[in-house]
Structure formats: structure tokens, C-alpha cells
Amino acid sequence: MRSTPSRRATATGALIAAAALLAVGVQTGTATATPGSATAAAATAGANHGALAKKLTPSQRAELIREADASKAATAKELGLGSQEKLVVRDVIQDNDGTTHTRYERTFAGLPVLGGDLVVQETKAGATESVTKASKVSSGQLKAVDMTADVAPAVAEKQALGLAKADGSKKTEADRAPRKVVWMTQGKPQLAYETVVGGLQEDGTPNELHVITDAATGAKLYEWQGIEKGTGNTEYSGQVTLGTAPSYTLTDTGRGNHKTYNLNHGSSGTGTLFTNSTDVWGNGNPSNAETAAADAHYGAAETWDYYKNVHGRTGIRGDGVGAYSRVHYGNNYVNAFWQDSCFCMTYGDGSGNAAPLTSLDVAAHEMSHGVTAATAKLVYSGESGGLNEATSDIMATAVEFYANNASDKGDYLIGEKIDINGDGTPLRYMDKPSKDGASKDAWYSGIGNVDVHYSSGPANHFFYLLSEGSGAKVINGVSYDSPTSDGLPVTGIGRAKAEQIWFKALSTKFTSTTDYAAARTGTLAVAGELYGTTSAEYKSVADAWAGINVGQRPGGGTDPGGTVFENTTPVAIPDGGAAVTSSVNVTGVTGNAPSTLKVGVDITHTWRGDLVIDLVAPNGTTYRLKNSSLSDSADNVQTTYTVNASSVAANGTWKLKVQDVYSGDTGKINSFKLTF
């Protein structure tokens, strides 16, 4: 065994006792040498085999990218792009039936177009089936971009540095000179500067603050943090097997040469590769520097195996190249983070440097940020940032179940072992996110203004509902009781199918600007491709979204009860014009409106992302139901919103106010109802 470069070594001090332990990712005492095989089988059970992702080798993926690159000019012409617009191939995924999903970035006059990314889906014969764009902005509008900068780059850099300092950053400095870009994520395309500020954030995390500055006025247009971080737990995984290299280094030669380094409490650089005189690593105690390294190395291996065996993805980028891990970052650093610029995961040692954040779910969470960066590239701010963070929680949960480790059984809790809160509670709950005191259970119009670790709550809740269903149950010894925002039950389809739907949507439907409404559209499209639009799986996806206040149940569900007031008189919505209203007169209701006022909306429209929808109470109080979003390309708004209107009197005239804020698409209000 010693001469085999890809042999496995124990992580807690015990020598390998049997050949069976040489199987990838097996923990001493587990019942099967292929953890996750049942997960992979369950994920594809009943699914359309042709719509499942083909397991591509890195060389096969590279060839598809080469072919897409060779034909990108023809693709740009077919899409109607202008002469100054160019496509840049970023990723290609192919289904078993030959359908390809090619993800492109875009340039204009040689400048990167932020928010210009798109996914083109083609049949095996090369016919375009669909195009999913991050922004509705047309190529015609791009032709009109003023390419003259009235503001100097130094102005943009000064603004960015000031914003970073205001956020509490230390040692702030521009990583590079501001670069010119075309900004089209929000509204009309315009020339802008992108400045990236380095240094350290307030808590010691490296800083990669991206600031977008209007090149004409110097005004800040947008900002987001490039370092994607999340707090986890140090739950050691018992005696596990690790991929190492000859002469005993933590180099996993069987998984893209993933390496694990010791930062030794530094906060920059790569650190020192872990080496040893024997193939035994750590002793299960955090005082031994190798223990955290063994945990991180094991977590990276399990995550690699999960993506490869369940989703056919070899490595974070699908190119067979391993990332690397750095442990013992800083002093008393209670966090872990993914950094796309170094293609690496970094882990702190926790409070008192005594609780390294190198658990299995933390490793999977951080590596999944890398997968998101390589696929949808969800911007780490607003609703897309919440979906980015939720994706890491979702996939971390999937990896935890896949690993089937007896010391860390799969659950729908995040950070359940380290006791970061000091009271024995986990960091996050997926069945009812609000139990952590900050996360949100359901979508509402202002959720994009909440920290991404808390605005992720509704998506985590959706995944739990889709996997397990609503109501009380016990799974692997943990009790759950998941509610729904509309008070109606959701029937789960099983975690494996839910994982498959979420990952396929992430990799083939989501873009950089995907919000909750667009995530619903994408997952429903995937459920339709895999199981059919009349399937139980499709219905459960819609029901689970309705259960977190996104969209409507097929058939509208069952009325939860109460007095209904409705207006069914159609009202035309002017294209790009003034707001219109539909009114209902509420009478005979005692006292104030309920905290769970149901607002039923039925609007037909050819691009729902154009619409801003408000509920206006009799006293003039306005509740935002829906913001406009250029990435929300679905048709129609047929859903029930839940509003806390308990501060206003129930009786009087209530109005549904709708405005189409962009031109080019039309629609009408079909009906509007309130349920008290």
C-alpha cells in the first residue's frame, strides 16, 4: 500500500486496519463502502434520463468549450447581438440526450459587460431551444452606450476606498486600478468603473469589495463583497481515510491534487503544505495543528466525490483541477470563507483558537461557493446573494447526507456542533430559518436588503419543504416542524430529487442576477424537463415555493379560510406608463386587518419583471408586494402574497397598484382579492 501514490491514510492517529477502508471517503464503522450511491440512484429515480447531466470528463468538457468558442460569432449573430458585442464562453454542460447548456459572458467595444451573462440551450441537432439572460436589456440599447468617461479613475478609486473604510475595513487598498465596464445589471446600460478594494474586513476576513461607479457622474451604482464567507462548526468526523501523496503530504492525487496548507495564524499567502514522517494525521484534538488539516482535507474529498458521483461534475469548475485549503487563519477567527481569486477555502480556528471551523458541512459550504462562481455566478448581494448563500447551505446539507458519517449524521441544521451561540443551538435551521432569530422564513419585497446569510432563509426553507415536506417529523434523531406561509401542506419528493433539481437549475438556468421569482421559474423548468409538467414532482416544486410566499400553487391550492373580497374587473396596464389600480371595498370586518392578510393577484403580462406591485391600505399605507427585476423573464403574476397589515383598520377601500416600468411588454390585471 505504501507505494501507491493515491493510497489513503487515517486522520486521527489510528493506522489503516483493513483494505476495505481504502474505499473513497469511508469512515471506520460505516455500513457501506460507497456512501452516496443510494443518493445518486434516488436522485435519478423516475427522472427523464435524457434530461440528466452527462458525466463529462474534463477533456470532454474542454472539447465542448472549444466547439462553443469556435461558433460563438455565429451564436452572437443568431441572438441579434450588435457588431461591437462579443461572447465569451465560460462553461458548457451537456445532458444525456445531447442537449447543451452554454454559459456566456459578454463584452461591448472590448469592455466586460456586467449583467450581460446568458445561457443558451440547444438541442443535439444545434437548434436553439431557449435563452436565459441575466438582464432584459436589448442589444439595441447597448448600441447607445456613451463610451466617454467624464470622471477620472482616481475618483472611482477614492470612492471605493471610502466605502470600504466606512464598512469597518482595515488596511484598505485598491487591488488594481479601476477598470472600465459596461454596467447593465440595473436598468439602462452605462459606462462605469469597477474598483476592487483589498486589505482586511472588520473581522479579519480578506476584503474583495467590488464598487461600481458611474463614469459620467461619479455616483455609486452598486457594491458587493467578493469574499463569500460562512460560519460553521468543528465536528470531527471520527477515523476517516484521506487522499495523500508519497513522502506524506496532504496532497490528494486522486482528486485534482487538492492540497491543504498551514497558515500558522497568518492572514495572507498560501502557507506551508502539511507534511509528515508517517501517513497518520492529527490526533482528534484541536491543539494538534494536523487535526484541523485532516478535517478540512476530508471535507474537500467528500465534497469532490459528491459532485462527481451525484452530478457528474469533476472538480469545482468541472475541469478536474482541485482547489486548495488553508487552515489556522488569523487568531481567534470565528469564520471560514471561499475566495474565488485564489480558488481556495480558508478556515479560522474559532474562539480562543480552540475550535477550528473545519467541519464537513463548512468545507462543503465553502467549496459550493466555488461551484456557484463557476456556474450561475450569483452576485453576492441582494436576492441573488441570498440564493448564493442558500446554495452553499443546500449543497453542504447534501454532502453531509452523502458522506453518511456515523460521527456526523446528515441533518438540516447548519453549524449544529460547535455551539457558536453558546447555548447549544445550531447556526441555522432549514425547516424554520427564523428559529435562529435573524433568518427569514419566507420571501417579502424587502428581503434583498437583508444580510445574505439571513435572506438565504427562504431558499433553505424551500429546499427543506421540497425534500421532506411540511409538518412535524424526526430524521436521523433530529425533530423538525416546518410551517408554510400560506398555511397549506407541502408533500416532499425526497432530498435526492430536490438536490438534482436545485443543482441543474443552478448550472443551466440561473444567471448572475437571478432573484427568488426567477429561481422559481428555473426550478420549475428543470422539474418539467426531468419529470414532466403534470408530475407530482413538478407540483411539489410549485407548492414548496408557494410555501415560502413565492408564486402560486397549481390550481390555486385550497382556500385557507376567511372572508374574501374580490374585484374581477380587468384593468389594462399601460406599457411603460403610469400606475393603475384595482380596488376592493372591505366592510363588516371588526378591528384591524390580520398579520397574515392574503393578497391574491392574477396578472397576465409578457414579462413580469417589468412590474412593480403594491398593496395600498385605506389609510394610504403602502406594502410593496413585488419589485421590478430585469432578470425575471417569466410571464404573468399569479400568486398569493402574505402581508402583515395588523397596524391598519380592515374596513375601507384597498387598492392593488401596478406599474409597468419598462417598455416592450404588455398585460392586464385580471383579478385582485383579499382574504381576511
Side-chain angles (χ1 to χ4, degrees):
M1 296 297 180
R2 296 293 181 184
S3 63
T4 304
S6 61
R7 80 210 165 287
R8 307 292 187 256
T10 60
T12 59
L15 294 173
I16 296 175
L21 295 182
L22 299 180
V24 175
V26 181
Q27 184 228 348
T28 301
T30 53
T32 172
T34 55
S37 58
T39 298
T44 59
N48 173 11
H49 178 75
L52 293 170
K54 182 185 295 184
K55 293 186 177 182
L56 300 172
T57 65
S59 61
Q60 288 173 325
R61 173 181 175 272
E63 176 60 20
L64 288 173
I65 289 176
R66 187 198 66 75
E67 292 174 359
D69 190 65
S71 60
K72 64 186 180 183
T75 301
K77 183 177 181 180
E78 181 185 355
L79 295 177
L81 302 188
S83 60
Q84 290 185 286
E85 294 179 79
K86 307 295 181 186
L87 292 176
V88 179
V89 181
R90 186 151 64 81
D91 195 17
V92 180
I93 290 173
Q94 189 172 72
D95 296 340
N96 288 321
D97 64 4
T99 300
T100 58
H101 311 267
T102 307
R103 190 176 294 275
Y104 298 94
E105 299 288 351
R106 203 183 326 182
T107 64
F108 178 78
L111 300 181
V113 180
L114 303 188
D117 53 303
L118 51 92
V119 182
V120 177
Q121 179 173 312
E122 294 180 321
T123 66
K124 183 178 181 179
T128 299
E129 287 187 309
S130 67
V131 180
T132 304
K133 297 181 179 180
S135 173
K136 181 189 173 183
V137 174
S138 68
S139 297
Q141 289 175 292
L142 271 175
K143 294 175 184 177
V145 175
D146 183 355
M147 300 301 287
T148 303
D150 298 321
V151 172
V155 173
E157 181 174 322
K158 182 178 179 181
Q159 178 191 72
L161 291 173
L163 288 168
K165 289 177 181 177
D167 287 341
S169 295
K170 299 171 286 187
K171 301 179 182 178
T172 54
E173 57 187 15
D175 273 359
R176 57 177 180 263
R179 67 169 182 168
K180 285 183 178 179
V181 299
V182 174
W183 176 249
M184 64 182 284
T185 298
Q186 298 171 305
K188 184 179 179 182
Q190 58 193 116
L191 185 66
Y193 291 107
E194 179 191 26
T195 308
V196 182
V197 181
L200 298 175
Q201 297 180 48
E202 186 175 17
D203 65 353
T205 305
N207 199 34
E208 280 186 20
L209 182 67
H210 295 246
V211 179
I212 307 298
T213 304
D214 190 330
T217 66
K220 187 193 82 169
L221 297 174
Y222 203 72
E223 67 174 275
W224 74 91
Q225 181 57 248
I227 300 292
E228 295 160 352
K229 60 182 183 179
T231 305
N233 63 330
T234 308
E235 49 185 30
Y236 299 109
S237 299
Q239 189 180 74
V240 298
T241 57
L242 298 178
T244 61
S247 301
Y248 312 128
T249 69
L250 283 184
T251 303
D252 196 335
T253 56
R255 298 179 178 89
N257 286 320
H258 173 276
K259 293 178 170 61
T260 300
Y261 295 91
N262 185 2
L263 278 175
N264 195 27
H265 304 299
S267 59
S268 62
T270 303
T272 304
L273 179 65
F274 275 93
T275 61
N276 206 349
S277 59
T278 69
D279 219 0
V280 179
W281 305 86
N283 62 5
N285 192 310
S287 63
N288 185 316
E290 291 179 1
T291 298
D295 278 333
H297 207 66
Y298 168 70
E302 288 296 324
T303 305
W304 175 286
D305 291 351
Y306 167 77
Y307 278 108
K308 182 176 182 179
N309 295 334
V310 177
H311 301 296
R313 189 175 188 86
T314 306
I316 286 174
R317 292 184 299 229
D319 58 3
V321 177
Y324 65 88
S325 298
R326 305 185 303 174
V327 297
H328 305 306
Y329 173 88
N331 276 295
N332 304 310
Y333 181 68
V334 189
N335 220 323
F337 57 88
W338 166 265
Q339 194 167 3
D340 205 47
S341 59
C342 70
F343 199 57
C344 69
M345 293 82 68
T346 304
Y347 305 90
D349 282 332
S351 179
N353 290 329
L357 280 82
T358 49
S359 66
L360 176 59
D361 59 353
V362 171
H365 177 106
E366 302 310 335
M367 290 181 75
S368 293
H369 276 308
V371 174
T372 296
T375 54
K377 209 171 183 177
L378 291 159
V379 173
Y380 204 58
S381 181
E383 290 193 24
S384 61
L387 291 168
N388 186 320
E389 191 64 26
T391 294
S392 283
D393 281 352
I394 288 167
M395 304 318 290
T397 297
V399 170
E400 197 173 72
F401 275 100
Y402 170 88
N404 194 27
N405 187 298
S407 297
D408 180 15
K409 293 182 179 180
D411 54 49
Y412 293 94
L413 308 174
I414 307 297
E416 68 274 12
K417 299 290 186 182
I418 196 171
D419 193 21
I420 273 183
N421 298 321
D423 58 4
T425 60
L427 185 63
R428 288 190 286 275
Y429 304 79
M430 301 185 85
D431 65 320
K432 189 178 181 183
S434 62
K435 286 195 289 188
D436 67 15
S439 293
K440 310 304 177 185
D441 289 335
W443 180 90
Y444 62 94
S445 62
I447 201 165
N449 299 321
V450 177
D451 181 278
V452 296
H453 294 87
Y454 306 135
S455 64
S456 62
N460 281 343
H461 192 189
F462 161 81
F463 178 76
Y464 176 86
L465 287 170
L466 184 60
S467 298
E468 306 292 348
S470 56
K473 52 184 61 69
V474 178
I475 303 167
N476 279 350
V478 179
S479 296
Y480 303 97
D481 192 359
S482 193
T484 59
S485 63
D486 60 2
L488 301 176
V490 172
T491 301
I493 63 174
R495 186 189 60 261
K497 289 182 178 180
E499 293 169 19
Q500 197 69 246
I501 288 171
W502 188 268
F503 180 77
K504 186 173 174 66
L506 174 77
S507 56
T508 67
K509 308 297 183 186
F510 293 178
T511 67
S512 61
T513 62
T514 294
D515 58 11
Y516 271 95
R520 176 184 184 272
T521 301
T523 52
L524 279 172
V526 167
E529 292 170 4
L530 291 175
Y531 303 104
T533 56
T534 60
S535 65
E537 289 85 356
Y538 187 91
K539 181 180 185 303
S540 285
V541 171
D543 286 351
W545 281 118
I548 64 157
N549 200 30
V550 179
Q552 189 177 38
R553 292 172 182 255
T558 303
D559 195 321
T563 305
V564 177
F565 300 86
E566 185 172 13
N567 185 341
T568 58
T569 302
V571 178
I573 304 171
D575 182 23
V580 294
T581 62
S582 175
S583 302
V584 295
N585 188 37
V586 175
T587 60
V589 179
T590 303
N592 286 357
S595 60
T596 56
L597 177 63
K598 304 299 181 185
V599 186
V601 177
D602 183 350
I603 295 173
T604 51
H605 197 275
T606 51
W607 192 294
R608 54 172 285 156
D610 288 357
L611 302 179
V612 175
I613 305 175
D614 293 309
L615 174 69
V616 183
N619 68 350
T621 300
T622 299
Y623 303 92
R624 177 58 53 87
L625 303 179
K626 179 189 176 301
N627 285 315
S628 61
S629 172
L630 292 174
S631 65
D632 186 5
S633 59
D635 296 338
N636 310 328
V637 181
Q638 295 167 325
T639 189
T640 299
Y641 298 95
T642 302
V643 171
N644 182 355
S646 59
S647 63
V648 302
N651 291 331
T653 301
W654 294 74
K655 297 178 181 179
L656 184 73
K657 180 181 176 182
V658 181
Q659 184 175 14
D660 184 335
V661 296
Y662 297 107
S663 61
D665 292 274
T666 59
K668 64 180 178 178
I669 303 172
N670 296 309
S671 67
F672 157 50
K673 69 178 180 179
L674 297 175
T675 304
F676 286 82

